[in-house]
Amino acid sequence: MLTFLHSADWQIGKPYARVHDPDKRARLRQARIDAIGRIGALIPRYQPAFLMVAGDLFDAPTPTTSDVAAVCQAIGKLAIPVLVIPGNHDHGAPGSVWQSPFFVSEQQRRAPNLKVLLEREPLELEGAVVLPCPLLRRSDNSDPTDWVRQLAWQELPSEKPRILLAHGSVHGFAAADLDADDDNPTSANNRLNLDAALLDQLDYVALGDWHGLKQINARTWYSGTPEPDRFPRNDDYQCGQVLVVRAQRGATPTVEPASTAALEWLQLRAHLTSLNDLQRLERQLEPLLEAEPGRQLLLLEQSGSLGLEAHQRYGQLLERLEAQLLRLKRRGRIEQQANPEELELLLQRSEDPLIASVAGGIQAELSQATLAGDNVQRQLLQLALAELHRAAGAAGCA
């Protein structure tokens, strides 16, 4: 029985352009490099013969020299061979990282255990035959597995498991479409035709491109990325792992996910219509706010409407979250709308008739904008009323 590790889509150098704080971007990028060490920590437990990376080790075909050096240093510390194919992000076209003198030098000096498979030809190892299908350009109209169908199977070692290593989407499962979101645009759709005739000759198919864990059939798996890089689409979406695969010739492999994630990508829905709703959300978020800073990212799907004071309190909660999290991504909007008590306090200010007059004018315009369906004007007027409420409160305190 052969044991090995299957990983993919490390995408070292991912820019995280939607994260505005440069220090937080740097921490996110570093977490991806650190994941290599967390993979290495699994080696003593599982004793794998090698590690396979099914494409997109780098996020671009021309990564920075510092990323190249860091990756080679981290891979060089692994006590096993590391077999890599180019994916669509780090394809193997002329001029890409794999042919650069700097990468070649760093690989030889820091990571002699790293082998980049740029040729579509069988690689015979002590315990397996690897059939690499590297992407030699970002988008390939031809199926990168086509060459495997031309093999004389009878000439391969009969006792060694055959492992196909490829990057792309398979029939009936378009990884590029399902895995895209507003932070991660659709990637090139390199289609792989894993028909029954081909699968009958193979013992395991190690795929990359889909960033979540996915079993296609008994012998075909996407490992997902070892460090999550997006918010989950649904409760079944799993990422942040490598696969421990045990295979032998002519048998169904056994596959075990092993966790490698350091960061948490969380999702929360909040519909707020009252102070009680806001207090309930505050209690729900308190464990997160008390946790170690800089370990979580949160997608907050917000809706509803709050009074002016409650909305100000909600803004303070968001400020705490921004400081605590590596990223706070918000979808939707919490409207701010003066409740009857707040509006009455502004309109009935005998001691300050100017504020009352301004509040009355804003409220009249707000009613007109609401009737006209002018959402932009309505939001501006709501903001003006909120600012007036804060100014009146400050004046009252003074």
Side-chain angles (χ1 to χ4, degrees), residues 166-176 189-194 205 207-209 214 216-217 220 222:
H167 188 92
S169 59
V170 299
H171 179 70
F173 184 75
N189 193 16
N190 299 287
R191 300 304 298 269
L192 309 171
N193 181 21
L194 303 178
V205 179
L207 296 180
D209 192 24
K214 183 72 176 180
I216 302 302
N217 54 52
T220 306
Y222 286 99

Side-chain angles (χ1 to χ4, degrees), residues 233-263:
R233 290 290 192 86
N234 52 60
D235 293 340
D236 295 330
Y237 188 92
Q238 298 180 54
C239 53
Q241 67 279 311
V242 297
L243 298 182
V244 182
V245 183
R246 297 176 179 89
Q248 63 185 46
R249 181 75 192 108
T252 300
T254 63
V255 179
E256 176 186 350
S259 178
T260 52
L263 305 179

Side-chain angles (χ1 to χ4, degrees), residues 52-237:
M52 309 181 83
V53 182
D56 286 357
L57 188 150
F58 292 106
D59 189 60
T62 54
T64 65
T65 53
S66 60
D67 281 340
V68 168
V71 165
C72 288
Q73 181 74 10
I75 289 177
K77 293 179 180 180
L78 304 182
I80 55 174
V82 178
L83 310 177
V84 174
I85 60 168
N88 60 291
H89 279 261
D90 58 1
H91 56 78
S96 66
V97 59
W98 313 114
Q99 293 91 12
S100 74
F102 183 80
F103 171 80
V104 173
S105 172
E106 290 293 286
Q107 181 268 322
Q108 292 174 349
R109 185 166 67 91
R110 298 178 186 267
N113 59 327
L114 170 60
K115 186 173 182 62
V116 182
L117 308 178
L118 295 172
E119 303 296 329
R120 294 175 177 175
E121 60 185 20
L123 172 67
E124 184 175 349
L125 305 175
E126 182 178 349
V129 176
V130 178
L131 306 173
C133 303
L135 289 181
L136 303 180
R137 57 184 62 87
R138 185 177 188 276
S139 183
D140 201 334
N141 292 327
S142 62
D143 185 343
T145 68
D146 278 347
W147 74 272
V148 181
R149 294 173 178 79
Q150 312 306 317
L151 284 175
W153 296 104
Q154 68 279 5
E155 296 179 7
L156 297 179
S158 59
E159 75 287 358
K160 294 183 179 181
R162 301 163 180 174
I163 304 166
L164 185 78
L165 184 60
H167 188 92
S169 59
V170 299
H171 179 70
F173 184 75
D177 296 330
L178 292 175
D179 219 21
D181 58 27
D182 51 358
D183 290 323
N184 301 277
T186 301
S187 62
N189 193 16
N190 299 287
R191 300 304 298 269
L192 309 171
N193 181 21
L194 303 178
D195 55 70
L198 177 59
L199 289 172
D200 283 345
Q201 298 293 337
L202 303 173
D203 300 294
Y204 186 76
V205 179
L207 296 180
D209 192 24
W210 171 243
H211 286 205
L213 175 64
K214 183 72 176 180
Q215 180 181 9
I216 302 302
N217 54 52
R219 301 180 184 181
T220 306
W221 290 73
Y222 286 99
S223 66
T225 183
E227 182 59 51
D229 64 351
R230 61 199 64 198
F231 295 103
R233 290 290 192 86
N234 52 60
D235 293 340
D236 295 330
Y237 188 92

Side-chain angles (χ1 to χ4, degrees), residues 24 268 281 285-286 288-289 294 296-298 300 314-328 330:
K24 292 181 178 181
L268 180 65
L281 176 64
L285 288 172
E286 196 57 36
L288 176 60
L289 290 166
Q296 298 91 8
L297 303 90
L298 175 64
L300 181 59
Y314 180 60
Q316 293 167 351
L317 175 62
L318 295 178
E319 185 178 21
R320 290 182 64 197
L321 286 171
E322 289 281 6
Q324 170 74 17
L325 301 169
L326 277 174
R327 184 186 181 191
L328 173 62
R330 289 188 286 154

